[in-house]
Amino acid sequence: MITIYKEKDYEGMSRRAANIIAAHVILEPASVLGLATGGTPVGTYQRLISMYNDGDLDFSEIRTVNLDEYCGLDGTNDQSYRYFMDTNLFKHVNIDIDNTNVPDGRNTDAKAECLRYDTLIEDLGGIDLQLLGLGGNGHIGFNEPDSAFAKHTHCVTLKKDTIEANSRFFDRPEDVPTKAYTMGIGTIFMAGRILLIVSGEGKADILKEALEGPITPAVPASILQLHPDVTIVGDEAALKKLSDKLIYSL
Ligand code: F6R
């Protein structure tokens, strides 16, 4: 079941997404949040920080697991996803940093690292609410278009278009890592609830393909059509190609 909220712009999308996460944190203060990095969630995290500063949110019992991390980057590297999470959210709220988890990009033993991460998620009791962004090629986490849906955490070789898209955060394109650890589609799919946020015209075609096209590993996000509890929050530009029937404009 997919429910879609249409907001005017990036600000509106961020506000709505933060409110949904906040409601979850208030109702289940010890829940496990699956988190994403990238450009899309920055505004959502800023709003969560404001709500925390206003005294409306308490993260002290929250546990988090991030979707992915670049292989080869240390958490102190300002391009690592650990660094992103620390600076965009964790350092600004009362979360216990020991309760935050990101795959370890320094671990060169991919098999061991992926097993460690899957075991950790299992030991936490699974993910209650998973926040996702949408890649321009339909990826979720770093599950790139493929011939099969990957079940577990694994090491991926990033596609050329993903490397190009991510090069905007690096000084030089050749600095973008080519490999990453990512939760599998199976891991993401097991989350109790999924919140996908999408912004901008550049995502309109792929969002339509993911939600209205066939369910195929060639468009990894298309698997969301089968999940029992998906909420999508998008701005007008990202949602403009979708047929109207599922959309709430609030
Ligand atoms: C990030 C992640 C990716 C991004 C996606 C969209 O942790 O898993 O799937 O969500 O690449 O990125 P932005 O938001 O930068 O467009």
Side-chain angles (χ1 to χ4, degrees):
M1 161 78 186
I2 299 182
T3 307
I4 303 175
Y5 290 95
K6 177 152 75 176
E7 303 296 335
K8 192 167 175 304
D9 51 19
Y10 180 82
E11 269 307 300
M13 178 207 73
S14 302
R15 186 179 321 115
R16 168 86 45 203
N19 285 345
I20 291 169
I21 297 170
H24 193 89
V25 169
I26 290 165
L27 290 170
E28 291 178 47
S31 56
V32 177
L33 299 181
L35 297 176
T37 61
T40 316
V42 171
T44 303
Y45 294 149
Q46 281 168 356
R47 294 209 69 101
L48 287 173
I49 293 166
S50 310
M51 285 184 236
Y52 166 74
N53 287 334
D54 289 345
D56 292 330
L57 280 183
D58 175 14
F59 290 88
S60 59
E61 291 179 73
I62 289 289
R63 282 87 41 84
T64 68
V65 280
N66 260 78
L67 284 165
D68 39 23
E69 177 62 284
Y70 288 121
C71 293
L73 296 193
D74 189 276
T76 56
N77 184 308
D78 64 4
Q79 293 304 334
S80 72
Y81 287 173
R82 159 53 75 182
Y83 186 90
F84 176 101
M85 289 311 304
D86 287 349
T87 50
N88 282 287
L89 181 65
F90 299 152
K91 280 190 177 155
H92 307 285
V93 297
N94 66 334
I95 199 160
D96 179 346
I97 206 74
D98 291 339
N99 286 338
T100 68
N101 300 282
V102 181
D104 183 356
R106 292 162 309 178
N107 192 346
T108 51
D109 185 342
K111 206 169 157 206
E113 180 54 20
C114 295
L115 182 64
R116 179 192 76 81
Y117 209 63
D118 279 336
T119 308
L120 181 140
I121 295 170
E122 212 179 298
D123 290 348
L124 287 171
I127 298 162
D128 296 307
L129 173 67
Q130 176 66 57
L131 177 66
L132 295 177
L134 178 64
N137 60 8
H139 71 223
I140 47 176
F142 269 143
N143 291 277
E144 296 281 47
D146 207 340
S147 53
F149 289 113
K151 251 186 171 166
H152 302 293
T153 301
H154 57 291
C155 181
V156 281
T157 301
L158 301 176
K159 301 266 189 212
K160 198 165 159 274
D161 41 5
T162 299
I163 293 172
E164 270 163 24
N166 291 354
S167 67
R168 70 191 194 275
F169 299 115
F170 289 79
D171 289 339
R172 299 173 309 165
E174 57 269 35
D175 293 340
V176 188
T178 54
K179 289 189 172 218
Y181 291 129
T182 180
M183 278 183 202
I185 291 286
T187 328
I188 294 170
F189 199 79
M190 290 300 286
R193 187 175 186 196
I194 289 177
L195 173 60
L196 174 72
I197 52 177
V198 260
S199 170
E201 208 175 339
K203 299 281 172 76
D205 283 322
I206 192 65
L207 183 64
K208 184 179 175 64
E209 212 180 320
L211 300 186
E212 296 180 10
I215 298 163
T216 163
V219 183
S222 64
I223 195 79
L224 298 179
Q225 294 181 41
L226 295 178
H227 192 278
D229 190 352
V230 177
T231 303
I232 298 178
V233 182
D235 58 18
E236 285 173 2
L239 299 188
K240 73 178 188 185
K241 301 220 166 143
L242 290 187
S243 52
D244 274 346
K245 54 180 192 284
L246 291 172
I247 300 183
Y248 291 85
S249 295
L250 294 172

